């Protein structure tokens, strides 16, 4: 009789289920284990959502429009804001994700430019977050993160 191939991840999950219920691999053992795993997953998901609220970022045109209200420099409107829009548009993000998305956009935009340019970009990051995030809780979380990073950088320089 030939052995059937069973993918490793399925075997690992089957072994995990057996460990959870201490069974011999009977159908009811797998059902019990599946319920336990489902509950673990639900509990973890609830904690994750409770700790950080998620927002859906606006579309590209809306992002560019909102940032243009904050910064009237045509160069930024034509060059930087589309990069930020490409990084954030339509994504589901927590506060830290918004900040990281803007940071990645700064990195892409400023590649090959003098370090001073990056410093100038960071001067407006809070204004950008405030313009892009409607939810006050997420906006506050993002701005708090920016403050913590700035404080840490300040201490490193001392």
């Amino acid at each position: 009789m030939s052995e059937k191939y069973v993918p490793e991840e399925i075997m690992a999950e089957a072994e995990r289920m057996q460990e959870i219920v201490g069974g011999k691999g009977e159908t009811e053992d797998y059902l019990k284990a599946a319920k336990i795993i489902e509950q673990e997953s639900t509990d973890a998901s609830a904690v994750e959502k409770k700790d950080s609220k998620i927002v859906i970022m606006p579309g590209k045109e809306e992002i560019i429009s909102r940032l243009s209200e904050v910064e009237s420099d045509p160069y930024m409107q034509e060059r930087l804001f589309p990069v930020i829009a490409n990084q954030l548009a339509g994504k589901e993000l927590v506060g830290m994700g918004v900040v990281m998305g803007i940071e990645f956009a700064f990195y892409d935009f400023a590649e090959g430019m003098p370090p001073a340019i990056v410093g100038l970009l960071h001067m407006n990051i809070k204004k950008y977050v405030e313009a892009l995030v409607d939810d006050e809780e997420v906006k506050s979380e993002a701005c708090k993160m920016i403050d913590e990073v700035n404080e840490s950088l300040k201490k490193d320089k001392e």
Side-chain angles (χ1 to χ4, degrees), residues 42-99:
T42 303
D43 292 346
S45 174
V47 168
E48 198 175 289
K49 287 180 181 174
K50 186 173 145 188
D51 288 347
S52 296
K53 192 172 184 180
I54 296 172
V55 294
I56 299 173
M57 297 303 293
K60 290 180 182 180
E61 292 83 19
E62 180 68 16
I63 287 175
I64 293 169
S65 173
R66 289 183 186 197
L67 292 174
S68 295
E69 291 175 16
V70 174
E71 176 73 59
S72 60
D73 181 349
Y75 183 80
M76 298 297 233
Q77 291 174 352
E78 292 172 18
R79 305 281 177 132
L80 174 62
F81 297 166
V83 177
I84 294 173
N86 285 333
Q87 193 66 242
L88 299 176
K91 292 187 178 169
E92 293 183 14
L93 301 169
V94 296
M96 182 169 61
V98 175
V99 175

